[in-house]
Amino acid sequence: MSSFSPPRIPAHQLRPGRHWYVTAVAIAVAMIVLSVALAVYRFNSAVDAVNTDNQWANGETVTLRLEPEREKAIWVMYPGMSPGPRCDITGPGDPALTEGTDVSLTFDETWDLVYTTDVQQAGDYTVTCSSQAVSRYAIGDSGGMFTFVGWLILAVLLSVLGIGICAVIVVVTAVRRRGHRKRLLAERLGSGGGCPARPGAAGAFGE
């Protein structure tokens, strides 16, 4: 009894083409690279949220140029002794300071966001801060690490999405290529092209 081998189907004849596997990997790599770049960029922005080049100490008064549409934050570096730092603001209109809770790390220093500015008109404002411990103050943005965490979550989701898209393309391509191979085999077997006659078979049963 001789064994029958089905006709071989060259890989390049199957559809979809194998280039879809490369496309799937390229999409995953691109989205992972994009997510890493986004995370690094937002981390640098969070680290630079505090303008440490312009600091002031307890009891000193600084003048800030503030605008209603651009909220600024007052950051403090202090030992954590209670009560915490207190700041006052004076200027045109009725300016106010809103307490903040965000934290940002700048190199080896820890800066706490203590206040955000609330002004009704653009102008020059004076700010004075004090605490019972030796403290340093700086102006900066109010984003900080909480904003960074939000962008970090988005970056992770981009990576997961890229890997998911890659997996779906690979699975769909593999399933469709397998189905196409079965159809081609059925067509070739049906036409008799894949079932060669065995020499001597007719004589074995005819005599």
Side-chain angles (χ1 to χ4, degrees):
M1 182 178 180
S2 60
S3 61
F4 165 68
S5 299
R8 179 178 176 274
I9 306 297
H12 70 273
Q13 294 184 4
L14 299 178
R15 296 293 180 270
R18 288 183 294 184
H19 66 274
W20 281 104
Y21 294 130
V22 178
T23 300
V25 174
I27 291 175
V29 171
M31 296 192 72
I32 290 174
V33 170
L34 176 62
S35 66
V36 171
L38 179 63
V40 171
Y41 172 75
R42 298 311 305 186
F43 177 76
N44 290 334
S45 297
V47 169
D48 295 336
V50 185
N51 183 11
T52 56
D53 293 334
N54 296 288
Q55 303 180 24
W56 70 92
N58 286 328
E60 295 182 354
T61 299
V62 296
T63 300
L64 306 175
R65 181 70 181 180
L66 302 176
E67 301 176 3
E69 60 275 7
R70 295 187 62 184
E71 182 183 78
K72 288 296 183 179
I74 299 175
W75 298 79
V76 62
M77 182 177 61
Y78 75 114
M81 299 174 59
S82 183
R86 302 289 301 177
C87 297
D88 295 309
I89 185 172
T90 58
D94 188 19
L97 296 175
T98 303
E99 293 187 3
T101 57
D102 201 3
V103 175
S104 177
L105 299 179
T106 305
F107 301 105
D108 58 344
E109 302 171 344
T110 301
W111 288 83
D112 296 327
L113 189 157
V114 286
Y115 293 103
T116 57
T117 60
D118 182 9
V119 300
Q120 304 301 317
Q121 61 187 78
D124 293 330
Y125 296 81
T126 58
V127 174
T128 304
C129 299
S130 63
S131 70
Q132 294 185 358
V134 177
S135 304
R136 302 294 300 177
Y137 305 89
I139 200 72
D141 297 325
S142 59
M145 296 305 273
F146 284 168
T147 302
F148 166 68
V149 170
W151 283 100
L152 181 61
I153 293 174
L154 176 60
V156 171
L157 291 177
L158 281 176
S159 296
V160 173
L161 179 61
I163 295 173
I165 293 174
C166 174
V168 169
I169 294 177
V170 168
V171 170
V172 171
T173 301
V175 170
R176 294 186 62 183
R177 284 174 64 86
R178 189 179 298 114
H180 190 212
R181 182 177 184 277
K182 291 180 179 179
R183 290 194 302 271
L184 291 179
L185 283 174
E187 292 173 0
R188 297 186 183 186
L189 290 174
S191 64
C195 191
R198 296 196 301 270
F205 291 96
E207 296 183 357

